[in-house]
């Protein structure tokens, strides 16, 4: 039989315990460090405007978590291996939003949340640039990651430890397009060598069969919508329902038609998928376009006061297309459930962060010019990944 405690001792124990609880509760406000410093993963903070802010030089705490050995690098963007100047400085700038905190992605947390899920990027090479950043970051959590190329994907990776797939589908116009020979009855006397037929209501085959496969999709298009890609000698010809659109739209009107048709297709075919659309990544050609000896040999980001000079369409500069195309994108995506990833503004500052002349291949600059469009890795796309993950984490938790 258990021995009973004397009543006096029991009373003393109760009084002592209550006193300790009261004393400790008074101490807590004096030691705020005892409180959790982060909101638990199960209750992510409501996202504020992560796209408005400034770049702060922070060399002590801002360090990339991957290097030139990542197997998913693309040679021309691997600026560490290509020994690009100022890489330490390029990666010492931290994006600081105006009214909230942007957290660095934790690859293990990402994999824990996204276990058994798939993430897809669809668009041009700037979305591939985005993808490579994410793959190299996630590989830190699973060094057994291996290359993956199925379902029409251009490239990607499978992370076996977490059963996560991340892939890129190359579809530069999003819509189906193909080169067609010159039709003499139509172009008998002009200089047209042939046309590129664009079916505005049909997705490109590279992503036409991914319905139901991905849990998250990130779309983009824009960099191929220019006369440097499709000159007057081989223009775009727009079709809908198998018939030519009459009157024939010009380049930007055709883009607007494609955007509206692709947005409608995406909403219809991916109703349960978390969908993002990345706005334009700005170029930083100075002194001429890519084929006119344009360069981007800058040591620091641009100042805020310089941005309109570079990018405002009214100034008719060589880098004006990003804001022009963004206007069309924003209009086309209104009243859809596709979320905008407005990474344009924060990227406009970073004239210093492109591969420029360090392309990893002999004579590349003499053939292609400096690369002032894509981004060094590690680099600016790592910040894009941080923003994407903060938004994904919130949306997935609230679905």
């Amino acid at each position: 039989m258990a021995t009973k405690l004397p009543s006096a001792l029991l009373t003393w124990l109760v009084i002592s315990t209550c006193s300790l609880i009261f004393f400790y509760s008074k101490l807590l406000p004096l030691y705020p460090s005892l409180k959790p410093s982060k909101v638990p993963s199960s209750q992510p903070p409501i996202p504020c405007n992560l796209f408005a802010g400034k770049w702060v030089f922070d060399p002590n705490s801002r360090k990339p978590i991957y290097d030139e050995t990542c197997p998913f690098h693309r040679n021309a963007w691997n600026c560490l291996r290509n020994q690009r100047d100022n890489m330490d400085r390029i990666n010492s700038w931290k994006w600081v939003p105006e009214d909230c905190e942007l957290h660095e992605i934790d690859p293990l947390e990402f994999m824990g949340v996204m276990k058994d899920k798939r993430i897809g990027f669809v668009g041009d090479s700037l979305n591939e640039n985005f993808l490579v950043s994410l793959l190299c970051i996630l590989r830190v959590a699973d060094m057994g990651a291996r290359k993956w190329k199925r379902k029409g994907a251009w490239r990607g990776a499978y992370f076996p430890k977490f059963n996560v797939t991340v892939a890129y589908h190359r579809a530069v116009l999003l819509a189906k397009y193909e080169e067609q020979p010159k039709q003499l009855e139509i172009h008998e006397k002009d200089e047209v060598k042939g046309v590129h037929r664009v079916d505005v209501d049909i997705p490109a085959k590279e992503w036409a069969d991914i319905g139901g496969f991905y849990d998250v999709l990130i779309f983009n298009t824009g960099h191929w919508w220019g006369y440097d890609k499709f000159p007057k000698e081989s223009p775009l010809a727009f079709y809908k329902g198998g018939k030519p659109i009459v009157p024939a739209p010009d380049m930007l009107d055709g883009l607007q038609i494609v955007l509206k048709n692709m947005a409608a297709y995406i909403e219809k075919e991916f109703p349960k998928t978390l969908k993002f659309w990345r706005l334009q990544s700005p170029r930083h050609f100075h002194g001429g376009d890519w084929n006119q000896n344009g360069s981007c040999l800058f040591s620091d980001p641009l100042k805020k006061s310089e941005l309109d000079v570079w990018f405002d369409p009214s100034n008719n500069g060589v880098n004006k297309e990003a804001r022009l195309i963004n206007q069309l994108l924003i209009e086309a995506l209104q009243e859809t459930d596709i979320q905008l990833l407005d990474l344009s503004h924060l990227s406009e500052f970073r004239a210093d962060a492109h591969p420029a002349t360090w392309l990893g291949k002999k004579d590349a600059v003499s053939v292609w010019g400096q690369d002032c469009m894509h981004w060094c890795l590690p680099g600016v796309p790592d910040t894009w990944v941080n923003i994407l993950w903060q938004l994904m984490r919130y949306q997935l938790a609230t679905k």
Side-chain angles (χ1 to χ4, degrees), residues 248-316:
D250 64 16
M251 180 83 71
L252 289 183
D253 288 340
L255 169 59
Q256 192 167 33
I257 296 170
V258 166
L259 291 175
K260 290 180 178 179
N261 277 273
M262 291 298 99
Y265 176 87
I266 290 166
E267 281 203 294
K268 178 183 176 183
E269 295 297 322
F270 308 101
K272 297 181 180 180
T273 304
L274 177 57
K275 301 175 283 291
F276 294 94
W277 197 301
R278 181 183 58 73
L279 295 188
Q280 283 297 91
S281 173
R283 309 182 311 155
H284 289 94
F285 288 99
H286 179 68
D289 213 327
W290 67 273
N291 56 355
Q292 300 168 334
N293 296 318
S295 67
C296 48
L297 299 174
F298 297 91
S299 300
D300 288 308
L302 300 176
K303 295 181 176 63
K304 189 174 182 179
S305 59
E306 297 177 289
L307 299 185
D308 284 348
V309 175
W310 276 73
F311 302 108
D312 193 308
S314 65
N315 294 320
N316 202 34

Side-chain angles (χ1 to χ4, degrees), residues 377-394:
L377 294 175
V380 169
D382 302 338
T383 296
W384 297 359
V385 168
N386 291 337
I387 291 174
L388 173 65
W389 174 230
Q390 199 148 319
L391 295 173
M392 280 175 56
R393 186 168 165 267
Y394 171 75

Side-chain angles (χ1 to χ4, degrees), residues 172-184:
V172 296
L173 303 184
L174 290 184
K176 175 186 176 182
Y177 85 98
E178 59 185 4
E179 188 173 3
Q180 294 187 333
K182 179 176 181 177
Q183 298 179 30
L184 293 177

Side-chain angles (χ1 to χ4, degrees), residues 22 29 38 51 63 91 163 185 223 239 242 338 355 360:
F22 176 80
K38 293 183 179 179
F51 310 119
K63 300 294 181 185
N91 284 293
N163 191 29
E185 68 274 15
H223 287 287
Y239 286 68
I338 305 170

Side-chain angles (χ1 to χ4, degrees), residues 5 15 22 52 75 96 106 160 200 203 209 229 265 295 319 331 339 347 360 365 391:
L5 290 172
I15 293 172
F22 176 80
N75 183 45
V96 179
D106 179 342
V200 300
D209 298 322
K229 299 291 188 183
Y265 176 87
S295 67
N319 305 292
E331 181 182 344
Q339 300 181 52
S347 304
V365 175
L391 295 173

Side-chain angles (χ1 to χ4, degrees), residues 108-183:
L108 280 172
E109 181 201 30
F110 182 102
M111 290 301 201
V113 174
M114 299 304 294
K115 190 175 187 297
D116 302 323
K117 291 183 172 61
R118 305 180 183 110
I119 304 101
F121 292 76
V122 181
D124 59 35
S125 59
L126 270 299
N127 251 13
E128 183 185 0
N129 213 175
F130 198 173
L131 166 101
V132 173
S133 170
L134 180 58
L135 294 183
C136 288
I137 287 171
L138 297 183
R139 182 175 175 266
V140 174
D142 187 356
M143 298 298 282
R146 56 180 182 262
K147 294 180 180 179
W148 186 93
K149 190 176 178 181
R150 300 177 189 172
K151 301 288 289 186
W154 179 265
R155 61 182 303 189
Y158 176 66
F159 299 86
K161 187 185 295 185
F162 302 92
N163 191 29
V164 169
T165 301
V166 185
Y168 162 66
H169 296 256
R170 187 177 186 271
V172 296
L173 303 184
L174 290 184
K176 175 186 176 182
Y177 85 98
E178 59 185 4
E179 188 173 3
Q180 294 187 333
K182 179 176 181 177
Q183 298 179 30

Side-chain angles (χ1 to χ4, degrees), residues 73-91:
H73 268 300
R74 183 165 166 175
N75 183 45
W77 308 334
N78 190 348
C79 291
L80 288 175
R81 189 177 69 180
N82 297 337
Q83 299 183 334
R84 192 211 192 280
D85 289 349
N86 295 326
M87 279 301 288
D88 283 343
R89 187 169 183 82
I90 285 171
N91 284 293

